[in-house]
Amino acid sequence: MYNQCFALRSVLLVPFLFLLLTTGRDVTGKGFDQKPNFVLMVVDDLGIGDIGCYGNDTIRTPNIDRLASDGVKLTQHIAAAPLCTPSRTAFMTGRYAIRSGMVSTGRVQVLLFLGGSGGLAPSETTFAKRLQQQGYTTGLVGKWHLGVNCKHREDHCHHPNQHGFSYFYGLPFTLFNDCVPGEGSDVLVCARVCGLFEVGLWLLVLLFFLCILATAVWCVPFKFLPTWNCIIMRNQEVIEQPMTVETLPQRLLGEAQNFIKRNVDRPFLLVFSLAHIHTPMFKTPQFAGKSRHGAYGDNLEEVDWMIGKITETVDSLGIANNTLMYFTSDHGGHLEDSDSRTGQKGGWNGIYKGGKAMGGWEGGIRVPGIFRWPGRLRAGKVVDEPTSLMDLYPTLKYLAKDKQPDRQSDGYNLMPLLEGEVARSEHEFMFHYCGIYLNAVRWHPPGSDSIFKVHFFTPNFFPPGAGGCYDTKICLCHGEHVTHHDPPLLYNLFHDPSESRPLTPDTEPRYAEILEQTAKANRAEQGVELQLTWDKILWRPWLQPCCGTFPFCGCKENTTHM
């Protein structure tokens, strides 16, 4: 009888044990010694005022809003730079871009050509590289814009595969107007602003008798911009050149979803770096004309739908409780980007002054920051302390149990703040750079709610009284393009987040102390050779990624399997 009872209990236990094993991935990471997955979603040029949970009530973002209500929303989440190349450098490395040389002394502030030699140095360390060493499968789907080659078109020294991403699908450069006929040229505008045409005319005079060579080094890069810059790569292979922009959102989304599905049974990192909401605007039929804010609103609602699909994928696979999801933008919206045909093509930065490329003004660097991790992070929590995109690096290292020696980081592990174990950010000082120049310093004094910010110089808006640089379409960081302030402009962001009321010795008792503390704070210093110099950003034919035989580059991705 005993043996029969024991046998019966054993039979009944089998389905219970099977159920426990198969649903184990739904149990909070605290219950199992299991490394969590990471899904990091980064939008391009998104303004903090564009999202419903950050105050927008006219653009529909229900999926992003749901991430915030199910997780933690950061209200003072700060990008380390107001432009994509330096901001993304800081995000990936956990350090100010000046340490990696991904800054400029003059007019060139981002990479302009895919065939240039500048980029994120091979010696740099990204969070992807650290997680890869901890056994993670790592993938980047979407925009990179941190360089590709150094000495020849096959070395891929700056490529995502060399920086810890075992899988890459997407744009090694960025989406820009040159990729769509009739949308104008971002690179030509930048070349004009950067003074490249003046250099070009001088060269043409000097090389009058070498017109063929001049044509090769000058006309070819601009004449064939869509071929040179508008490409898609899978790992180190060019699979589409020039790319078909109309189907890009669906392809990027599909690749991101498939990466998650392929790696559901192992720890993974996915950086989903959207091509939205940088210009040109997409015209996806499902969303075109559906919003209350023209093409920009249509594109933003498409972004929200894509975020919802990624969240749905994670949830449907039963890995939500072991997956940290993160949503942000690389910097603020581009205020000056508009035309008579499309209307406003840049984002809205809410109550915050300034925008993309405007140095330390809050509108260019304060971005959405949302974390969701069911069972680990309390739903609906709001953190009003200063945090940074650079904090992702040490946070991911901590959660991946990476305790190996590392170089200096400018970010801090966010988990104590996100989980409510501490109420105060570890960021006492934050530094805001415009190119290589220290533009502003933020100070959160110990024991105080105040957050002071001093501006050493500010961009010269045009026309006077406007909120941006509408003559050049993008603000610059040097020379006649800025106004230096002595003493610096001083604001208390706790009381004046829109930076509209400068403090004086009469209105702020700690005025002298604030200037003294921010002046002597330990700031980041340049660590390696600058990568955004003329000799590194200009196009070189031998560095140009090519599908086929250069210069006859051209191919289309086979999408029949998608």
Side-chain angles (χ1 to χ4, degrees):
M1 183 69 178
Y2 173 83
N3 290 336
Q4 289 177 331
C5 291
F6 179 82
L8 180 61
R9 284 198 300 270
S10 300
V11 171
L12 292 173
L13 279 172
V14 169
F16 174 77
L17 291 172
F18 176 79
L19 180 65
L20 181 63
L21 289 172
T22 55
T23 60
R25 63 166 61 110
D26 277 333
V27 179
T28 296
K30 286 184 176 179
F32 284 84
D33 187 18
Q34 182 180 5
K35 290 183 177 180
N37 308 307
F38 306 112
V39 176
L40 315 181
M41 300 170 288
V42 183
V43 186
D44 199 359
D45 286 20
L46 175 69
I48 191 172
D50 289 329
I51 305 300
C53 59
Y54 283 93
N56 193 308
D57 58 2
T58 59
I59 296 180
R60 294 166 295 190
T61 57
N63 295 295
I64 299 171
D65 298 344
R66 192 173 303 113
L67 276 181
S69 62
D70 290 346
V72 180
K73 182 179 75 170
L74 309 178
T75 64
Q76 296 190 55
H77 201 42
I78 307 299
L83 278 168
C84 49
T85 295
S87 174
R88 289 167 183 266
T89 295
F91 170 64
M92 290 284 181
T93 64
R95 309 200 303 166
Y96 291 104
I98 191 173
R99 297 192 191 276
S100 305
M102 295 290 274
V103 291
S104 166
T105 59
R107 298 170 181 264
V108 184
Q109 300 182 62
V110 298
L111 296 174
L112 290 182
F113 294 101
L114 202 51
S117 64
L120 189 60
S123 59
E124 260 300 340
T125 304
T126 65
F127 56 65
K129 193 176 290 185
R130 300 293 299 202
L131 264 59
Q132 196 175 52
Q133 294 168 357
Q134 297 300 312
Y136 275 75
T137 300
T138 55
L140 170 63
V141 174
K143 172 178 174 174
W144 174 241
H145 208 182
L146 297 180
V148 177
N149 297 315
C150 288
K151 296 181 178 179
H152 58 84
R153 71 170 52 92
E154 299 296 333
D155 66 32
H156 301 114
C157 67
H158 303 307
H159 190 278
N161 289 159
Q162 303 300 326
H163 283 292
F165 290 101
S166 52
Y167 181 74
F168 170 66
Y169 174 92
L171 294 69
F173 192 62
T174 185
L175 179 67
F176 64 137
N177 282 326
D178 304 74
C179 298
V180 176
E183 290 290 341
S185 173
D186 286 334
V187 171
L188 287 176
V189 170
C190 190
R192 176 178 61 82
V193 172
C194 295
L196 196 54
F197 285 142
E198 290 122 0
V199 176
L201 291 173
W202 176 72
L203 286 175
L204 289 176
V205 171
L206 290 181
L207 301 176
F208 180 76
F209 296 104
L210 299 173
C211 60
I212 295 177
L213 178 60
T215 300
V217 300
W218 176 245
C219 296
V220 171
F222 291 107
K223 179 68 175 177
F224 300 102
L225 274 172
T227 300
W228 303 147
N229 280 349
C230 305
I231 73 173
I232 296 176
M233 299 182 79
R234 176 175 279 112
N235 293 321
Q236 297 177 8
E237 178 187 3
V238 179
I239 61 171
E240 187 159 288
Q241 189 174 22
M243 65 182 172
T244 302
V245 173
E246 291 77 11
T247 59
L248 185 60
Q250 301 94 309
R251 287 187 282 170
L252 293 179
L253 175 61
E255 286 284 341
Q257 290 175 303
N258 289 335
F259 180 86
I260 295 172
K261 293 173 183 177
R262 287 197 306 269
N263 296 289
V264 67
D265 291 319
R266 70 191 78 170
F268 68 83
L269 160 73
L270 170 65
V271 177
F272 185 31
S273 179
L274 284 76
H276 296 73
I277 199 155
H278 198 288
T279 52
M281 299 286 103
F282 291 101
K283 301 174 183 177
T284 307
Q286 181 182 347
F287 300 95
K290 301 297 176 60
S291 79
R292 296 167 57 184
H293 290 281
Y296 185 86
D298 298 343
N299 276 246
L300 186 51
E301 292 186 359
E302 184 175 18
V303 167
D304 181 76
W305 175 79
M306 295 171 74
I307 299 303
K309 286 297 180 182
I310 295 294
T311 306
E312 181 182 298
T313 300
V314 169
D315 293 349
S316 66
L317 293 171
I319 58 173
N321 282 12
N322 195 46
T323 301
L324 176 66
M325 298 188 70
Y326 169 68
F327 175 84
T328 194
S329 173
D330 57 352
H331 50 70
H334 190 180
L335 301 183
E336 300 98 336
D337 200 349
S338 64
D339 61 40
S340 57
R341 179 167 54 91
T342 307
Q344 183 64 28
K345 296 188 288 185
W348 182 50
N349 301 316
I351 65 171
Y352 305 108
K353 187 172 184 175
K356 176 179 179 178
M358 297 188 196
W361 287 125
E362 204 72 0
I365 55 178
R366 190 181 292 219
V367 295
I370 299 172
F371 288 88
R372 190 197 80 154
W373 191 351
R376 183 76 183 258
L377 299 181
R378 179 167 61 83
K381 182 177 176 61
V382 176
V383 173
D384 292 321
E385 286 286 298
T387 58
S388 170
L389 269 68
M390 296 184 293
D391 295 335
L392 267 292
Y393 184 103
T395 302
L396 300 187
K397 276 185 54 183
Y398 167 79
L399 292 170
K401 299 180 174 60
D402 178 359
K403 299 179 181 179
Q404 297 302 311
D406 202 355
R407 77 279 188 278
Q408 179 181 1
S409 175
D410 295 310
Y412 296 96
N413 173 23
L414 284 174
M415 289 308 293
L417 199 60
L418 297 177
E419 293 187 291
E421 295 177 1
V422 300
R424 191 175 180 86
S425 167
E426 292 189 66
H427 286 284
E428 181 180 351
F429 293 98
M430 283 186 179
F431 304 98
H432 307 299
Y433 290 86
C434 190
I436 199 172
Y437 309 106
L438 182 62
N439 184 187
V441 177
R442 181 183 311 245
W443 183 39
H444 190 21
S448 171
D449 290 330
S450 292
I451 299 172
F452 297 106
K453 188 162 71 170
V454 299
H455 291 260
F456 301 113
F457 65 87
T458 51
N460 294 332
F461 291 162
F462 187 89
C469 303
Y470 289 91
D471 52 342
T472 56
K473 297 297 185 182
I474 198 162
C475 294
L476 299 175
C477 304
H478 69 289
E480 71 276 11
H481 303 287
V482 300
T483 296
H484 290 267
H485 303 286
D486 186 14
L489 295 180
L490 172 60
Y491 300 93
N492 186 341
L493 299 178
F494 183 76
H495 297 294
D496 179 26
S498 60
E499 297 174 284
S500 59
R501 302 187 302 273
L503 300 176
T504 67
D506 295 330
T507 59
E508 174 51 58
R510 303 180 68 177
Y511 184 90
E513 179 194 2
I514 296 164
L515 297 188
E516 179 184 2
Q517 291 292 333
T518 52
K520 70 180 185 181
N522 291 325
R523 56 206 62 188
E525 301 293 343
Q526 181 183 339
V528 298
E529 180 184 8
L530 293 180
Q531 297 295 306
L532 301 182
T533 57
W534 284 120
D535 64 312
K536 288 185 177 293
I537 64 102
L538 289 179
W539 184 75
R540 293 168 169 80
W542 59 90
L543 297 181
Q544 176 61 50
C546 180
C547 176
T549 302
F550 185 85
F552 307 103
C553 309
C555 57
K556 289 297 177 184
E557 181 183 12
N558 180 5
T559 59
T560 56
H561 65 286
M562 298 181 66

